Amino acid sequence: MAQTGEMTDPPEAETGGAEADATATDAETTVTVRCTGHVRTELDVYEFEYTFEGDTLRAFLDELFEEYPQLQDMLIAESESDATHSGWAPTPEELPGTWSKNPVGEQTIAYARILVNGHFNENENGFDTKLEEGDRVALVYPFMFCC
């Protein structure tokens, strides 16, 4: 799909059969996308409405990355080492509470994050997080400076 505001032709009416059933169940969702840091610089926009087919973060990202492939390279880690930073403190052998990560290929690179309504997607349902009309998706990749 495209950013809201662009004119598109309405879909042709389908008649009966499995195709009609499939189209009837396909949801179209519009979310507000907010961009920070490198993402904002790359797209040259802070906020925009985006309409996509489906109702999950995965469907949103698939369409967004198809339209803006540079964002996938900027945000999504290809390996576990891309998703982690060495940090300054050693990781304890047993972590408190319940810790979970998105599977490899569904993780953001170190320091980049994808949030849904202010919550890290890892703390929700990962890329299978349901999106509803009007939800906010933040693509966060802050500028990092070091001395």
Side-chain angles (χ1 to χ4, degrees):
M1 277 281 139
Q3 294 180 20
T4 307
E6 294 180 21
M7 297 297 292
T8 57
D9 293 330
E12 297 288 324
E14 307 237 356
T15 56
E19 286 184 28
D21 291 339
T23 8
T25 59
D26 287 342
E28 187 174 89
T29 309
T30 300
V31 296
T32 300
V33 181
R34 294 188 177 158
C35 308
T36 67
H38 294 291
V39 179
R40 181 177 180 175
T41 300
E42 182 66 36
L43 295 181
D44 196 30
V45 65
Y46 161 71
E47 182 178 288
F48 60 95
E49 299 290 310
Y50 193 83
T51 301
F52 64 98
E53 293 292 327
D55 63 354
T56 64
L57 182 59
R58 182 183 315 281
F60 163 77
L61 291 173
D62 286 347
E63 282 196 33
L64 186 74
F65 291 158
E66 189 173 310
E67 192 167 340
Y68 303 102
Q70 69 275 26
L71 292 183
Q72 183 168 2
D73 296 336
M74 182 180 288
L75 295 171
I76 304 300
E78 292 183 19
S79 67
E80 186 68 34
S81 63
D82 292 340
T84 356
H85 185 270
S86 60
W88 294 293
T91 305
E93 286 183 34
E94 290 188 39
L95 297 170
T98 303
W99 290 73
S100 63
K101 291 181 81 170
N102 286 344
V104 174
E106 295 184 15
Q107 297 176 12
T108 54
I109 64 168
Y111 303 116
R113 292 292 176 262
I114 299 171
L115 294 90
V116 175
N117 296 322
H119 300 271
F120 293 131
N121 75 80
E122 294 93 342
N123 295 338
E124 297 300 320
N125 204 11
F127 283 9
D128 294 322
T129 300
K130 290 286 186 191
L131 296 177
E132 295 179 1
E133 196 75 19
D135 279 352
R136 297 177 323 273
V137 177
L139 306 175
V140 179
Y141 186 13
F143 297 110
M144 300 298 291
F145 297 99
C146 184
C147 43

